């Protein structure tokens, strides 16, 4: 059942190490090893040497050396390379899906239908977007000068990606950076480096020059901090928890780097009393449980107007009970394990503490039997918590939905905004004015109406408040990854300008 060749067809290809520097795999030099663990079984499936400071230095040097040639390529040349990249990813789609399911515990149907196709689509999108790095049109804004705006690449980008969507996060970091003409060193989470390495290798197979895309796999404390603080890194992009994001910002500030942060979330799911209840229940279960709840935009706080509250709780619990936990590689599996036993235990801790002040309607336990050795946790619904409680205010990052009632529309929107986070939210109503008000007043970087979770390459993703700043995906991401330069030409050919009199002489 757990044959490693079947589950991890790319295993032999990554035998050369988990660092990808200047177009080839190498072993890390920190002197420490790390094992990638299949969270469904607890078995170690890939052991590698972690990156040390020297590996980071080598990767940054490779990226710096590759920068002039890549930045000097025409937009069409970069676009062509990215189109080839998308084609290589499509050819290797099953290999990516299996590696992602293995290291994360995601059901294969999720990686095949969401993670991998989404990444291929992102790559194709940025292949097109690479030709559209436009600035303001040239014009004579002062009357005596012609001004225009150039968008120029920044340099070497040092990015850090999380473990929940390793392939998609690698793509979100790498693609806009290189489409804009930058080179990049990516540090994936040491728990889940496999698809980031395969992604970098596919870039080389597509003809993207050596050194444009580099990957160093090490700990945040050693490799991550050195990358973010590196004097030759011009920008850092980080996706992860708000607590770690604060540390990244501190380190980046010391060298005045461009900074892009996509941090935690605690997405509200606001159900007004005229909502389609069936749609809301289905949407809540899907939105709360996607990726076993390990999603910064997952529905985590459902606020339901009081006339629908009891029925929503009962129906949501009932639907959660039908979700099938199992081996991620088995066709009937709906929900896989969490990424690690440590993460499972962290999630369980939130629920156990909540029993003192709230009601666990369903779930709230790890399954026994044949799933006992994996990092599984049952889909969990919690009701009757207070707004200021830990389970409502803190990011759990697991298959847990908490439901609270509200009375007036004002109250529902106020509760939705009452956390430090502001990444995503949804509003459920059949009244266009009510829904439109919610989209205006809810403080989040994305507000869905009568749905929760879908993302598309053409639209930006990023947060408000403690969820960070800056955008992934879409052409808005180029605002993170390009320098804006104003160029101004004198058109008069007059040596003594009229304004010079403010400095010397008279008119």
């Amino acid at each position: 059942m757990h044959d490693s060749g079947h589950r991890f067809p790319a295993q032999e290809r990554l035998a050369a190490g988990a660092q990808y520097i200047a177009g080839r795999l190498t072993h890390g030099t920190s002197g420490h090893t790390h094992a990638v663990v299949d969270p469904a079984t607890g078995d170690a499936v890939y052991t590698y040497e972690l990156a040390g400071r020297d590996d980071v230095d080598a990767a940054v040097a490779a990226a710096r050396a590759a920068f002039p040639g890549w930045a000097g390529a025409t937009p069409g040349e970069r676009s062509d390379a990215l189109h080839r990249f998308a084609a290589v990813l499509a050819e290797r789609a099953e290999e990516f899906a299996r590696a992602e399911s293995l290291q994360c515990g995601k059901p294969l149907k999720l990686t095949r239908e969401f993670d991998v196709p989404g990444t291929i689509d992102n790559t194709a999108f940025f292949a097109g977007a690479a030709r559209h790095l436009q600035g303001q049109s040239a014009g004579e804004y002062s009357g005596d000068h012609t001004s225009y705006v150039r968008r120029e690449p920044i340099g070497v980008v040092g990015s850090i990606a999380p473990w929940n969507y390793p392939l998609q996060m690698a793509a979100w970091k790498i693609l806009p950076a290189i489409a804009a003409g930058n080179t990049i060193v990516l540090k994936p989470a040491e728990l889940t480096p496999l698809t980031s390495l395969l992604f970098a290798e596919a870039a080389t197979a597509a003809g993207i020059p050596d050194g444009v895309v580099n990957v160093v796999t090490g700990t945040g404390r050693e490799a991550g901090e050195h990358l973010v603080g590196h004097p030759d890194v011009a920008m850092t992009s980080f996706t992860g928890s708000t607590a770690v994001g604060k540390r990244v910002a501190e380190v980046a500030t010391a060298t005045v780097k461009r900074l892009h942060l996509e941090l935690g979330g605690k997405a509200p799911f606001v159900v007004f009393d005229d909502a389609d209840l069936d749609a809301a229940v289905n949407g809540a279960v899907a939105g709360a449980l996607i990726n076993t709840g390990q999603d910064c935009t997952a529905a985590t706080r459902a606020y339901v107007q009081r006339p629908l509250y009891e029925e929503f709780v009962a129906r949501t619990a009932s639907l959660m009970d039908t979700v099938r936990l199992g081996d991620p590689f088995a066709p009937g599996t709906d929900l896989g394990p969490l990424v690690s036993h440590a993460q499972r235990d962290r999630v369980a801790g939130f629920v156990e503490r909540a029993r003192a002040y709230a009601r666990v309607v369903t779930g709230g336990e790890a399954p026994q039997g044949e799933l006992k050795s994996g990092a599984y946790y049952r889909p969990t619904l919690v009701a009757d918590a207070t707004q200021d409680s830990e389970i409502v205010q803190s990011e759990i990052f697991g298959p847990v939905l908490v439901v609270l009632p509200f009375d007036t529309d004002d109250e529902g929107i106020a509760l939705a905004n009452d956390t430090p986070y502001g990444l995503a939210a949804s509003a459920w109503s059949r009244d266009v004015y009510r829904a439109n008000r919610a989209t205006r007043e809810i403080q989040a970087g994305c507000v869905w109406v009568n749905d929760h979770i879908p993302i598309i390459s053409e639209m930006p993703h990023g947060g408000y408040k403690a969820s960070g700043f800056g955008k992934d995906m879409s052409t808005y991401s180029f605002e993170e990854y390009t320098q804006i330069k104003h160029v101004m030409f004198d058109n008069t050919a007059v040596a003594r300008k009229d304004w010079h009199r403010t400095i010397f002489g008279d008119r």
Side-chain angles (χ1 to χ4, degrees), residues 208-426:
I208 291 173
D210 293 350
V212 173
V213 177
N214 307 275
V215 176
V216 289
T217 310
T219 64
R221 192 172 297 278
E222 186 168 4
E225 292 222 1
H226 189 49
L227 177 62
V228 171
H230 201 291
D232 290 337
V233 170
M235 172 186 166
T236 193
S237 176
F238 170 80
T239 296
S241 70
T242 297
V244 178
K246 289 176 182 176
R247 176 62 186 157
V248 168
E250 286 173 10
V251 175
T253 301
T255 48
V256 198
K257 293 188 189 332
R258 178 79 67 92
L259 187 60
H260 168 219
L261 298 174
E262 202 267 84
L263 307 177
K266 190 72 182 174
F269 185 102
V270 184
V271 183
F272 295 100
D273 57 16
D274 68 325
D276 179 332
L277 186 59
D278 192 40
V281 168
N282 280 281
V285 173
L289 301 185
I290 186 170
N291 204 38
T292 316
Q294 299 165 122
D295 187 313
C296 46
T297 64
T300 57
R301 300 178 288 140
Y303 295 102
V304 183
Q305 209 150 19
R306 207 169 295 272
L308 298 182
Y309 178 73
E310 292 298 342
E311 191 177 355
F312 179 91
V313 169
R315 289 176 60 175
T316 301
S318 176
L319 185 56
M320 277 188 171
D321 289 341
T322 70
V323 173
R324 300 164 295 180
L325 276 66
D327 175 12
F329 288 79
T333 295
D334 294 323
L335 200 70
L338 287 108
V339 76
S340 67
H341 288 77
Q343 181 64 14
R344 192 268 312 274
D345 294 345
R346 181 179 175 277
V347 170
F350 276 101
V351 178
E352 289 311 306
R353 292 188 295 276
R355 291 184 193 278
Y357 56 80
R359 173 167 59 103
V360 177
V361 183
T362 190
E365 62 183 8
Q368 299 303 302
E370 63 179 26
L371 300 182
K372 188 177 181 181
S373 62
Y376 289 90
Y377 197 74
R378 293 198 184 284
T380 300
L381 187 67
V382 176
D384 306 335
T386 56
Q387 176 67 12
D388 61 357
S389 60
E390 177 194 52
I391 207 161
V392 173
Q393 291 293 326
S394 299
E395 186 171 37
I396 300 169
F397 233 55
V400 179
L401 176 64
V402 57
V403 190
L404 296 87
F406 69 93
D407 291 300
T408 65
D409 289 18
D410 287 353
E411 183 191 8
I413 291 171
L415 290 169
N417 287 332
D418 182 30
T419 71
Y421 300 107
L423 186 58
S426 63

Side-chain angles (χ1 to χ4, degrees), residues 425-450:
S426 63
W428 298 74
S429 172
R430 286 184 276 208
D431 181 325
V432 66
Y433 296 102
R434 210 174 201 184
N436 202 13
R437 177 194 175 188
T439 65
R440 290 195 310 274
E441 296 186 12
I442 292 176
Q443 297 158 1
C446 174
V447 182
W448 293 284
V449 176
N450 296 327

